[in-house]
Amino acid sequence: MFAAENGLKGDPRLESISQAIRVVPHFPKQGIMFQDITTLLLDHKAFKDTIDIFVERYRDMHISVVAGNEARGFLFGPSIALRIGAKFVPLRKPRKLPGEVISEKYDLEYGTDCLELHVGAVQPGERAIVIDDLVATGGTLKAAIKLLERVGAEVVECACVIGVPDVKGQCSPIGKPLYVLIEPR
């Protein structure tokens, strides 16, 4: 579900967020229109608006875990977690977390990768959201959901700043709710 369809239609914050994101054609390879959120981070008002919108959505949902996908989920997740009173759990690339981990491989539109989660970071029955900057195919979100569900968490929703219309309403292809602020420009 896009934020504009969920009570935020015409909200000027969404346009501000969209305008703050730079589009870089053919990066990291030919045909990819890379949505560069580093320019969003440079605009303190647009960045704050992004966090505020997510906090407004999740503050009363009894979320205890905000899981952020490496690396750009780390930029949004901790701020959201602090504001809603949840813990932040990083989902990292292989060999970045010390100690015992579980892992999940997934496909990208331009390759494959893997996410890892510390064993014991999330307890059975905890309510979680997964945050990332962008959803295209849903592969990264699917891997994150699988990791959290393997340790017994209830994944309530996935949240992304940018989402392509083809995955609207779901973390494709597994059917979890998806909340997206804007479409790519």
Side-chain angles (χ1 to χ4, degrees):
M1 158 187 340
F2 283 91
E5 299 166 344
N6 191 45
L8 295 181
K9 185 174 180 85
D11 189 318
R13 297 178 297 178
L14 297 176
E15 181 61 26
S16 172
I17 292 164
S18 180
Q19 291 304 312
I21 296 169
R22 174 176 55 173
V23 178
V24 182
H26 311 298
F27 181 84
K29 70 178 202 176
Q30 188 70 26
I32 303 290
M33 298 297 285
F34 187 78
Q35 304 291 308
D36 181 11
I37 56 97
T38 61
T39 52
L40 171 66
L41 302 173
L42 296 173
D43 182 334
H44 76 280
K45 174 139 180 26
F47 181 51
K48 181 182 182 308
D49 288 344
T50 302
I51 299 302
D52 287 348
I53 292 170
F54 286 128
V55 168
E56 290 163 11
R57 178 151 181 91
Y58 298 114
R59 112 172 24 120
D60 297 323
M61 293 177 109
H62 308 290
I63 303 298
S64 55
V65 175
V66 176
N69 290 338
E70 186 168 339
R72 291 177 294 273
F74 295 2
L75 300 171
F76 302 100
S79 297
I80 296 165
L82 281 171
R83 301 244 329 260
I84 68 171
K87 62 184 171 183
F88 176 74
V89 175
L91 303 177
R92 304 273 337 244
K93 301 294 171 97
R95 296 171 300 284
K96 301 283 184 169
L97 293 172
E100 188 179 357
V101 298
I102 60 171
S103 61
E104 189 68 39
K105 291 183 180 172
Y106 63 96
D107 293 322
L108 295 166
E109 59 187 303
Y110 46 85
T112 62
D113 216 332
C114 180
L115 286 177
E116 294 184 340
L117 166 68
H118 263 137
V119 170
V122 178
Q123 303 305 309
E126 287 193 286
R127 289 173 53 85
I129 60 169
V130 177
I131 183 82
D132 209 345
D133 68 326
L134 181 134
V135 57
T137 65
T140 310
L141 293 174
K142 181 179 176 183
I145 291 165
K146 282 184 176 181
L147 280 174
L148 292 164
E149 288 181 342
R150 281 172 51 196
V151 297
E154 175 192 351
V155 179
V156 174
E157 192 165 82
C158 297
C160 294
V161 177
I162 307 160
V164 297
D166 293 349
V167 297
K168 182 169 130 181
Q170 297 187 23
C171 292
S172 177
I174 62 164
K176 290 290 179 179
L178 174 63
Y179 186 69
V180 176
L181 299 189
I182 62 167
E183 292 183 37
R185 289 189 298 124

